[in-house]
Amino acid sequence: MAHRIHALRLASAPADCRNCFMEARCWQGSEAAGGSVPVLRMPTLNPGEPLWRSGGEFNALYLVRHGAIKVYEVDLGGVERVLQFAFAGDLLGLEALALGHHESMAVALGESMICRLAWPPAASVPAHDAALSERLLRRASAQLRQRARATRLTDPDASVRGFLQELAARLGREERVGDHVWLRQRLPMSRLEIGQYLGYAEETVCRSMRRLQSNGELEVSGRTLVIKKATGVTPAAAAPAARPLSA
Amino acid sequence: MAHRIHALRLASAPADCRNCFMEARCWQGSEAAGGSVPVLRMPTLNPGEPLWRSGGEFNALYLVRHGAIKVYEVDLGGVERVLQFAFAGDLLGLEALALGHHESMAVALGESMICRLAWPPAASVPAHDAALSERLLRRASAQLRQRARATRLTDPDASVRGFLQELAARLGREERVGDHVWLRQRLPMSRLEIGQYLGYAEETVCRSMRRLQSNGELEVSGRTLVIKKATGVTPAAAAPAARPLSA
DNA sequence: CGGGTAGTTGAACCAGTTCAAATCTGGTGG
DNA sequence: CCACCAGATTTGAACTGGTTCAACTACCCG
C-alpha cells in the first residue's frame, strides 16, 4: 500500500457532515440543503476487507469518503453477481434496509474510508427528521433508476462503453491532448468483476474493451484507462443516455 | 370489460389510507403503524391507458388499489424493457423521484384503480413527516433488493419459475387437490412482456413454460396459470429464495 | 362465424460462453 | 536490482443455448 492514508485512521470518531470537508461530495446539489447528518468515521478498510457480510444484521447505511467498495451476491450455485460499485460520495446498504439483514456482501476494492450512518437512527438523535429520510429516499430513487439501466444491453460493447464512460466521468482526471479531452482513471476492479456487474463473461469484457480500443474510443493497459470524454450523447452507438454507475 | 367496477370511479376523490378498507394491503406489517397518508383516488384506468408517459414531470407516487400496471422503457433502438409489474398494494414511480421526470412509461394491463400520492407533499399537509418518508424509503429498499434479483439467472427455467411462483403467491387463489396445494391465477401480461421483464425472447419464455409444464410443476393454458404452491425453498432448482415481483 | 391477436413450434444461425493455454503484471524475497 | 510467483489478462477454438425467422394454431372478441 504505497499511499496509505493515516490521517483519518481514528476508529469510529463521531462526525457530522456539516463539519466535513468532503460534505459537498456526499450531499450534492439539492441534497446539500438538509440539516445535520450524524455519521461515524470508521477505521480505514484495506483492500479485500469486508464492510458487511451476508446474513449480518442491518443496522447502518454507509457513505464512501474515499476508495471503492464492491457489493455482491453469491447464489446457491456459487455464481457471483456484482450489484453495485460504490465510490466517494456514494451511499451503500439501502437494499438491506427493508429486510433488516444483509443478503449481499460488501468488500473494499482499494483502501477505503467509510462513514457509518446508524439506521434506524437513535431516537435521541435530533437529526432523525424528515429531511434525512427524504435525502435517503432520493438516493434510493437514483439507485433504482441506475439498476433499471444496468440491465444487459443488446451489445456488450455498449454495456462496457457505458460502464467505463460513467466511471471515468465520475472519477477520472481530465487530460487535454490537442483539441480533445480525455479522462484518465485507474480501474479499481478486475475484468471479471466488470463482467459480473454487466452480466457478461470475463473474456467478453476483455474482447469488448479491445474492440473499443481498436475503434480509437479508449486506451487500456492493465488497470489504466484513458477514454474520450463523452460529449452529451454517446457517439458511435445507440447507447442510452449515460447510466449512473452508482449512487 | 365484463366485471367493471363502478363504485370507485369518482375522479380524484380525496382519501386517507386510514379510512380505506384496503389499507392493510398497501401498508402491511411494520409499515401499518405510521400516520395518515394523504392520497387521491384516481379515475379507473382501462387496459392500455397510461398512468404516465416518458418525459412527463414527476409530481406523484402511485399506489395500486386494484389491477395491474406495467412500467417499461423503450431504448433508442426501439427495444422495450419491462422494469416493474405492479399489483394491488404496490408502490409506483419511485425511480423518477430523484430525477424529477419520468424516463419510463406506465400503462394499465387490466382495469386498474390507483391512488395518487402527491410528491413532494404540499407543505400544508401535516402528514409530511418522517414517518411517511421512512415508509417510502422502506419500499424503495424492497424494490432495490427485488431489482438486484431480477437479473437473468443462469437458466431461463429458473427465471420463469421464480416469476410465476411469485406472481401466484401474491395474487393467486388457493386450490386443494388431494394433499397438494395449487395456486390459480390469470396472467395479466403476455409471454412477450414476461420475456421483456426477465430478459429473454418471447419464444424462450414459451418453451420454458412448456418445459415446466411437462415437469408437472404447473399447468398453463392461455393466460390461465395453475402452479404448485412453493414450499419454503423452491424444489427441483437452484433458484434463489423467492424473488419479490414488485413492491 | 370471422378476424385478429396471442401463443406455439421448428430450423438455422450466431453471439457469448466455455475450456485451454499463452502472456503479462505487479509485488516479493534474495 | 533481478529472478520468480500468483493472479490477472489475453487469445484461440469449439460449443451451445438463446435468438431469429417463418409458419402454423388456438383463443378471444365482436
Side-chain angles (χ1 to χ4, degrees), chain A:
Chain A
M1 294 306 104
H3 300 289
R4 180 164 295 185
I5 294 160
H6 290 281
L8 295 159
R9 201 173 257 295
L10 323 166
S12 296
D16 187 302
C17 296
R18 282 182 302 189
N19 303 323
C20 175
F21 66 91
M22 267 176 168
E23 174 182 12
R25 179 177 282 172
C26 292
W27 304 109
Q28 295 171 15
S30 63
E31 295 183 328
S36 158
V37 180
V39 297
L40 288 181
R41 289 187 194 146
M42 298 176 66
T44 300
L45 287 179
N46 290 315
E49 272 192 84
L51 181 55
W52 70 70
R53 294 175 191 284
S54 169
E57 181 199 6
F58 169 84
N59 48 29
L61 297 166
Y62 301 94
L63 283 157
V64 181
R65 272 169 66 78
H66 172 86
I69 304 286
K70 171 180 80 163
V71 181
Y72 67 104
E73 274 185 349
V74 185
D75 73 18
L76 302 189
V79 180
E80 297 197 4
R81 272 182 302 180
V82 173
L83 306 182
Q84 184 187 10
F85 290 115
F87 309 110
D90 285 340
L91 182 67
L92 276 177
L94 273 175
E95 74 285 344
L97 184 146
L99 191 60
H101 67 88
H102 290 285
E103 291 185 328
S104 59
M105 290 178 269
V107 302
L109 292 177
E111 196 153 273
S112 301
M113 293 191 297
I114 307 291
C115 288
R116 182 175 187 279
L117 171 55
W119 196 270
S124 62
V125 175
H128 177 202
D129 57 3
L132 179 55
S133 290
E134 279 183 39
R135 291 214 262 203
L136 297 176
L137 184 60
R138 255 192 303 276
R139 292 297 190 102
S141 170
Q143 288 189 23
L144 272 171
R145 189 160 59 85
Q146 162 211 146
R147 280 244 127 263
R149 300 183 155 282
T151 321
R152 249 168 100 128
L153 303 180
T154 51
D155 176 11
D157 288 11
S159 297
V160 171
R161 177 191 299 113
F163 177 84
L164 297 177
Q165 200 60 252
E166 174 62 21
L167 184 72
R170 244 167 78 59
L171 302 177
R173 182 183 301 276
E174 288 203 358
E175 284 182 7
R176 280 152 225 287
V177 179
D179 46 333
H180 286 299
V181 180
W182 296 77
L183 295 165
R184 176 181 297 271
Q185 175 60 32
R186 170 154 264 267
L187 297 176
M189 72 293 285
S190 70
R191 307 283 193 276
L192 175 59
E193 288 168 324
I194 295 176
Q196 291 169 339
Y197 180 71
L198 297 177
Y200 290 99
E202 180 179 20
E203 294 89 334
T204 304
V205 172
C206 203
R207 285 187 247 261
S208 182
M209 279 170 71
R210 185 142 302 271
R211 272 190 299 270
L212 295 174
Q213 177 152 12
S214 64
N215 288 351
E217 296 187 50
L218 54 80
E219 202 151 324
V220 272
S221 93
R223 296 278 179 107
T224 303
L225 167 71
V226 181
I227 189 169
K228 260 185 196 157
K229 187 172 182 179
T231 57
V233 178
T234 310
R243 117 176 41 120
L245 239 194
S246 72

Side-chain angles (χ1 to χ4, degrees), chain B residues 17-235:
Chain B
C17 295
R18 282 180 304 190
N19 303 324
C20 175
F21 67 91
M22 266 177 169
E23 174 182 14
R25 178 177 282 171
C26 293
W27 305 109
Q28 293 171 15
S30 64
E31 295 182 327
S36 159
V37 180
V39 296
L40 288 181
R41 290 188 193 146
M42 299 177 63
T44 300
L45 287 178
N46 289 315
E49 272 192 85
L51 182 54
W52 71 70
R53 293 175 190 282
S54 170
E57 181 199 7
F58 169 84
N59 48 30
L61 298 165
Y62 301 94
L63 283 157
V64 181
R65 274 169 65 78
H66 173 86
I69 304 286
K70 171 180 81 165
V71 181
Y72 67 104
E73 274 185 350
V74 185
D75 73 19
L76 302 189
V79 180
E80 298 196 4
R81 272 182 303 180
V82 173
L83 305 183
Q84 183 186 10
F85 290 115
F87 308 109
D90 286 339
L91 181 66
L92 276 176
L94 273 175
E95 73 286 342
L97 184 146
L99 191 60
H101 66 89
H102 290 286
E103 292 185 327
S104 59
M105 291 178 268
V107 301
L109 293 177
E111 195 153 275
S112 301
M113 293 192 295
I114 306 291
C115 288
R116 182 175 188 277
L117 171 55
W119 196 269
S124 63
V125 175
H128 176 203
D129 58 2
L132 179 54
S133 290
E134 279 183 39
R135 290 212 263 204
L136 296 176
L137 184 59
R138 254 191 304 276
R139 291 297 191 102
S141 171
Q143 288 190 22
L144 273 170
R145 189 160 60 86
Q146 162 211 146
R147 281 244 127 262
R149 301 182 154 283
T151 322
R152 245 167 102 128
L153 304 179
T154 51
D155 176 11
D157 287 11
S159 298
V160 171
R161 179 191 297 112
F163 177 84
L164 296 178
Q165 199 62 251
E166 175 62 22
L167 183 72
R170 243 166 79 57
L171 303 177
R173 182 182 300 277
E174 288 202 359
E175 286 182 7
R176 280 153 223 285
V177 179
D179 46 334
H180 286 299
V181 180
W182 295 77
L183 296 165
R184 176 181 297 271
Q185 175 59 33
R186 170 152 266 265
L187 296 175
M189 73 291 284
S190 70
R191 309 284 193 272
L192 175 59
E193 289 167 324
I194 295 175
Q196 290 169 339
Y197 180 72
L198 297 177
Y200 292 99
E202 179 180 18
E203 294 90 334
T204 304
V205 172
C206 204
R207 287 187 247 262
S208 183
M209 279 170 69
R210 187 141 299 270
R211 270 190 300 271
L212 295 175
Q213 178 152 14
S214 64
N215 287 351
E217 295 187 50
L218 54 80
E219 202 150 324
V220 272
S221 94
R223 296 276 178 109
T224 303
L225 168 70
V226 181
I227 189 170
K228 260 187 197 156
K229 187 172 182 180
T231 56
V233 177
T234 311

